[in-house]
Each structure stands twice: as C-alpha cells, then as structure tokens.
Amino acid sequence: MKDVAAKRRRFGYRRIGVMLERKGMIMNHKKLYRLYTEEKLGVRRRRGRKRARGSRTPMPEALRPGDRWSLDFLSDTFGASRRFRILAVNDDCCRENLCLMADTSISGARVARELDALVRVYGRPASIVSDNGTEFTSRAILKWAGDNGVDWHYIDPGKPQQNAFIESFNGRLRDELLNEEMFDSLDDARRKLALWRYDYNSASLRPSFYVVEENRFC
C-alpha cells in the first residue's frame, strides 16, 4: 500500500485498493480504510498552483500504430449556452484521430465504454497517455486498464506539453471548427465534429504506415 501511495500520491484508499487487487491482494474495504488511516496515507488538500509530485515513469514511445494513444477533453457550447464536452482519442504514431465523442456529461465509466468500442475496431493499444483529470483517474478507468493490460501513463500536473500530440490536435480542432462554428444542438455538434474528423484524417494519415494485420492505413 505504501509503494502504491508513493507512486500515486493523489489516489485515495479506494483507488489504491484497485491497484492492490491487480496484484492479487483483495481485502474488505473497511480493513483497507483502517490500514490506510493507520499508515497515515490520507491525501492532503493541495493549495496554490499545481506542482508535479512523485515519480513518473518515462513516456512510452510510439514507434508503431497502437503503441500509444493519447486522450484529452475539450468543451464548447450549443443552443442557449448549454455546455458540452468532447472526448478526443488519437493514435500518436500516425496522428490519426480515433474518436471525437461529444456529450453533455462524460464520466469515467463512459470513457471506459468508448475505449472498449475503439479496441474492437483498432485493436488494443500498448499504452495510453492522459492528464490527471478525475475521469481518467476514476476506479472505472483503473479497472479497465488492469483488465485490458494497458499501461496508463499520467503526465505531470500542470505540464500539458508532456502530452504534446493531443494538445496540438486540440488547438487545430478549436481553431478550425469550434471557434468558427455555432452549434444549434448536441446532434448538430456531433454531425459537424464527424465531418471535421473525416477531413482531418483524410489530410493527416500517412500511407507509409500500412498495418497489414489490421488492414488499415495509418
């Protein structure tokens, strides 16, 4: 438990429990909480600006399609200032956008379901990179990563440049679509996102990376 808490300083006892279950150490949540408090592993409230804390594993390389996916969220409005969120998923090797999923609320469980759908189409990635948002550090995501054997890499807090590929993609999406279009409804936003995604992938995919076993261009 101490080893997990040292690597994941912002994880509470429930999420530490998920990590322990991966190692075959399963216990009642009451016992887990008791040990957690006895060892004084409680998460302290962070004050001031974000600072990177704890050790981080090296960023996994993306040498082939499927080696590394990157995830991030964007937000915009439709109708009478109703906000919606967009989950973007990219393959960092070939710069292909795999998903632009828009909805008014996207939980960690919803992200996990979307990843399941993407795995059925593109195959399972070796690793995924994201920030430390609550959706990406939720129990649903930790369980999904463990069940699928995917290495989930979290960038340092306040260091978006460590996920530069998705940040560059987000800037292009906002510049070319979100700042240029007015969305009448959520369905209208989804339709325009789908059209933009088609144009983006058509222009960005490089045919030099042809994956025979998946029968697709990257």
Side-chain angles (χ1 to χ4, degrees):
M1 187 182 291
K2 287 182 177 179
D3 290 341
V4 174
K7 294 178 181 178
R8 306 294 188 191
R9 291 176 178 261
R10 305 308 296 175
F11 277 19
Y13 79 97
R14 293 185 183 275
R15 283 186 281 180
I16 288 178
V18 173
M19 305 295 284
L20 293 177
E21 287 177 4
R22 294 183 188 176
K23 302 179 182 294
M25 291 176 279
I26 302 173
M27 67 185 76
N28 181 279
H29 72 279
K30 293 182 180 179
K31 179 180 179 181
L32 177 67
Y33 181 72
R34 177 172 58 79
L35 295 174
Y36 179 80
T37 54
E38 287 178 356
E39 297 298 327
K40 300 180 180 179
L41 300 176
V43 179
R44 295 182 179 180
R45 178 172 295 180
R46 186 176 290 170
R47 300 182 183 276
R49 70 181 182 89
K50 294 182 179 178
R51 300 178 185 273
R53 298 190 178 190
S55 60
R56 294 292 189 275
T57 58
M59 176 77 76
E61 295 186 3
L63 302 178
R64 290 173 53 83
D67 279 354
R68 187 179 73 205
W69 291 0
S70 56
L71 278 65
D72 203 3
F73 281 108
L74 300 92
S75 62
D76 210 296
T77 60
F78 68 89
S81 299
R82 287 201 61 189
R83 297 192 67 81
F84 69 95
R85 306 184 75 194
I86 304 167
L87 172 66
V89 183
N90 280 15
D91 188 312
D92 289 346
C93 174
C94 53
R95 310 295 193 270
E96 180 182 3
N97 175 251
L98 309 180
C99 167
L100 282 178
M101 189 261 288
D103 212 333
T104 53
S105 177
I106 303 176
S107 64
R110 178 73 181 281
V111 174
R113 291 197 299 271
E114 190 65 27
L115 289 174
D116 281 332
L118 292 175
V119 167
R120 288 193 292 270
V121 176
Y122 297 100
R124 184 175 58 191
S127 63
I128 291 179
V129 179
S130 75
D131 59 25
N132 292 267
T134 55
E135 298 85 1
F136 299 139
T137 57
S138 66
R139 295 184 69 189
I141 290 299
L142 293 175
K143 185 177 185 304
W144 183 91
D147 291 346
N148 288 273
V150 175
D151 177 29
W152 201 291
H153 179 91
Y154 294 102
I155 64 174
D156 294 337
K159 299 287 185 179
Q161 63 271 24
Q162 292 181 1
N163 203 4
F165 292 123
I166 196 74
E167 292 294 334
S168 175
F169 172 82
N170 290 349
R172 183 170 174 179
L173 172 59
R174 188 163 295 282
D175 181 61
E176 295 181 2
L177 179 68
L178 302 184
N179 290 344
E180 295 294 321
E181 295 283 350
M182 298 291 292
F183 305 116
D184 298 327
S185 63
L186 185 59
D187 286 340
D188 180 48
R190 289 168 173 167
R191 180 180 62 82
K192 290 176 179 177
L193 283 167
L195 292 172
W196 184 90
R197 175 177 176 267
Y198 175 81
D199 291 339
Y200 170 83
N201 284 340
S202 298
S204 299
L205 295 188
R206 296 172 292 176
S208 57
F209 288 93
Y210 182 69
V211 185
V212 176
E213 62 270 22
E214 294 183 10
N215 192 29
R216 67 187 181 91
F217 281 100
C218 278

